[in-house]
Amino acid sequence: QVQLVESGGGLVQAGGSLRLSCAASGRTFSIYRMGWIRQAPGKEREFVAAIRWSGGSTYYADSAKSRFTISRDNAKNTVYLQMNSMKPEDTAVYYCTAQLGTRSPYSQREYDCWGQGTQVTVSS
């Protein structure tokens, strides 16, 4: 299987920036796509961004477009989520996820592997 470990969460003021990292280990050769899913208090999990492990195609939720950037470093088996111009509504637990096959990148139900999550809090 694939193990995912997130880091980089924390507290930031509105308008600020934060970068999340996710290190993958194990059977990383089986990763097709990696993504970030978030869950705010009292809400369902929602897709944020994803990136093809090979080729680097990216996918974003409307709420993330123009503010967030997903990138990867295959040599380090690491995916990043750079978050700029952050808003209080970005407050959530952010999960690093991986797909092991070709599926829709936009549904949180289509991801096979999950990290433990990292808390991101944006103060107003």
CSV table of all heavy atoms in Angstrom, one decimal, residues 38-45 88-93 119-121:
chain,number,residue,atom,x,y,z
A,38,ARG,N,-10.4,18.4,1.8
A,38,ARG,CA,-10.5,19.0,3.1
A,38,ARG,C,-11.9,18.8,3.7
A,38,ARG,O,-12.8,18.5,3.0
A,38,ARG,CB,-10.2,20.5,3.0
A,38,ARG,CG,-11.3,21.3,2.3
A,38,ARG,CD,-10.8,22.7,2.1
A,38,ARG,NE,-11.9,23.6,1.4
A,38,ARG,CZ,-11.7,24.8,1.0
A,38,ARG,NH1,-10.5,25.4,1.3
A,38,ARG,NH2,-12.7,25.5,0.4
A,39,GLN,N,-11.9,18.9,5.1
A,39,GLN,CA,-13.2,18.8,5.8
A,39,GLN,C,-13.3,19.8,6.8
A,39,GLN,O,-12.5,19.9,7.8
A,39,GLN,CB,-13.3,17.4,6.4
A,39,GLN,CG,-14.7,17.2,7.0
A,39,GLN,CD,-14.9,15.7,7.4
A,39,GLN,OE1,-14.0,14.9,7.6
A,39,GLN,NE2,-16.2,15.3,7.4
A,40,ALA,N,-14.2,20.7,6.6
A,40,ALA,CA,-14.5,21.8,7.6
A,40,ALA,C,-15.4,21.3,8.7
A,40,ALA,O,-16.2,20.3,8.5
A,40,ALA,CB,-15.1,23.0,6.9
A,41,PRO,N,-15.4,21.9,9.9
A,41,PRO,CA,-16.3,21.4,11.0
A,41,PRO,C,-17.8,21.4,10.5
A,41,PRO,O,-18.3,22.4,10.0
A,41,PRO,CB,-16.1,22.4,12.1
A,41,PRO,CG,-14.7,23.0,11.8
A,41,PRO,CD,-14.6,23.0,10.3
A,42,GLY,N,-18.4,20.3,10.8
A,42,GLY,CA,-19.8,20.1,10.4
A,42,GLY,C,-20.1,20.0,9.0
A,42,GLY,O,-21.3,20.0,8.6
A,43,LYS,N,-19.1,19.9,8.1
A,43,LYS,CA,-19.4,19.7,6.7
A,43,LYS,C,-18.8,18.4,6.2
A,43,LYS,O,-17.9,17.8,6.8
A,43,LYS,CB,-18.7,20.9,6.0
A,43,LYS,CG,-19.4,22.3,6.3
A,43,LYS,CD,-18.9,23.4,5.4
A,43,LYS,CE,-19.6,24.7,5.7
A,43,LYS,NZ,-19.1,25.8,4.8
A,44,GLU,N,-19.2,18.1,5.0
A,44,GLU,CA,-18.6,16.9,4.3
A,44,GLU,C,-17.3,17.2,3.7
A,44,GLU,O,-16.9,18.4,3.5
A,44,GLU,CB,-19.6,16.5,3.2
A,44,GLU,CG,-20.9,15.9,3.7
A,44,GLU,CD,-21.7,15.3,2.6
A,44,GLU,OE1,-21.3,15.4,1.4
A,44,GLU,OE2,-22.8,14.8,2.8
A,45,ARG,N,-16.5,16.2,3.5
A,45,ARG,CA,-15.2,16.3,2.8
A,45,ARG,C,-15.4,16.8,1.4
A,45,ARG,O,-16.4,16.5,0.8
A,45,ARG,CB,-14.5,15.0,2.8
A,45,ARG,CG,-14.1,14.5,4.2
A,45,ARG,CD,-13.4,13.2,4.1
A,45,ARG,NE,-12.9,12.7,5.4
A,45,ARG,CZ,-12.2,11.6,5.6
A,45,ARG,NH1,-12.0,10.8,4.6
A,45,ARG,NH2,-11.8,11.3,6.8
A,88,PRO,N,-11.1,32.7,5.9
A,88,PRO,CA,-11.6,32.0,7.0
A,88,PRO,C,-12.3,30.7,6.6
A,88,PRO,O,-12.2,29.7,7.3
A,88,PRO,CB,-12.5,32.9,7.7
A,88,PRO,CG,-12.0,34.3,7.4
A,88,PRO,CD,-11.5,34.2,6.0
A,89,GLU,N,-13.0,30.7,5.4
A,89,GLU,CA,-13.7,29.5,5.0
A,89,GLU,C,-12.8,28.4,4.5
A,89,GLU,O,-13.2,27.3,4.2
A,89,GLU,CB,-14.7,29.9,3.9
A,89,GLU,CG,-14.2,30.7,2.8
A,89,GLU,CD,-14.4,32.2,2.9
A,89,GLU,OE1,-14.3,32.7,4.1
A,89,GLU,OE2,-14.8,32.9,2.0
A,90,ASP,N,-11.5,28.7,4.4
A,90,ASP,CA,-10.5,27.7,4.1
A,90,ASP,C,-10.1,26.8,5.3
A,90,ASP,O,-9.4,25.8,5.2
A,90,ASP,CB,-9.2,28.3,3.5
A,90,ASP,CG,-9.4,28.9,2.2
A,90,ASP,OD1,-10.2,28.4,1.4
A,90,ASP,OD2,-8.8,30.0,2.0
A,91,THR,N,-10.6,27.2,6.5
A,91,THR,CA,-10.4,26.5,7.7
A,91,THR,C,-10.9,25.1,7.6
A,91,THR,O,-12.1,24.9,7.4
A,91,THR,CB,-11.0,27.2,8.9
A,91,THR,OG1,-10.3,28.5,9.1
A,91,THR,CG2,-10.8,26.4,10.2
A,92,ALA,N,-10.1,24.1,7.8
A,92,ALA,CA,-10.5,22.7,7.7
A,92,ALA,C,-9.3,21.8,8.1
A,92,ALA,O,-8.2,22.3,8.2
A,92,ALA,CB,-10.9,22.4,6.3
A,93,VAL,N,-9.6,20.5,8.2
A,93,VAL,CA,-8.6,19.5,8.2
A,93,VAL,C,-8.3,19.2,6.8
A,93,VAL,O,-9.2,18.8,6.0
A,93,VAL,CB,-9.0,18.3,9.0
A,93,VAL,CG1,-7.9,17.2,8.9
A,93,VAL,CG2,-9.3,18.7,10.5
A,119,GLN,N,-4.4,20.2,10.4
A,119,GLN,CA,-5.4,21.2,10.7
A,119,GLN,C,-4.8,22.5,10.1
A,119,GLN,O,-3.7,22.9,10.3
A,119,GLN,CB,-5.6,21.4,12.2
A,119,GLN,CG,-6.5,22.5,12.5
A,119,GLN,CD,-8.0,22.3,12.1
A,119,GLN,OE1,-8.5,21.2,12.3
A,119,GLN,NE2,-8.6,23.3,11.5
A,120,VAL,N,-5.7,23.2,9.4
A,120,VAL,CA,-5.4,24.6,8.9
A,120,VAL,C,-6.5,25.5,9.4
A,120,VAL,O,-7.7,25.2,9.2
A,120,VAL,CB,-5.4,24.6,7.3
A,120,VAL,CG1,-5.4,26.1,6.8
A,120,VAL,CG2,-4.3,23.8,6.8
A,121,THR,N,-6.1,26.6,10.1
A,121,THR,CA,-7.1,27.5,10.6
A,121,THR,C,-6.7,28.9,10.1
A,121,THR,O,-5.6,29.4,10.3
A,121,THR,CB,-7.0,27.5,12.2
A,121,THR,OG1,-7.3,26.2,12.6
A,121,THR,CG2,-8.1,28.5,12.7
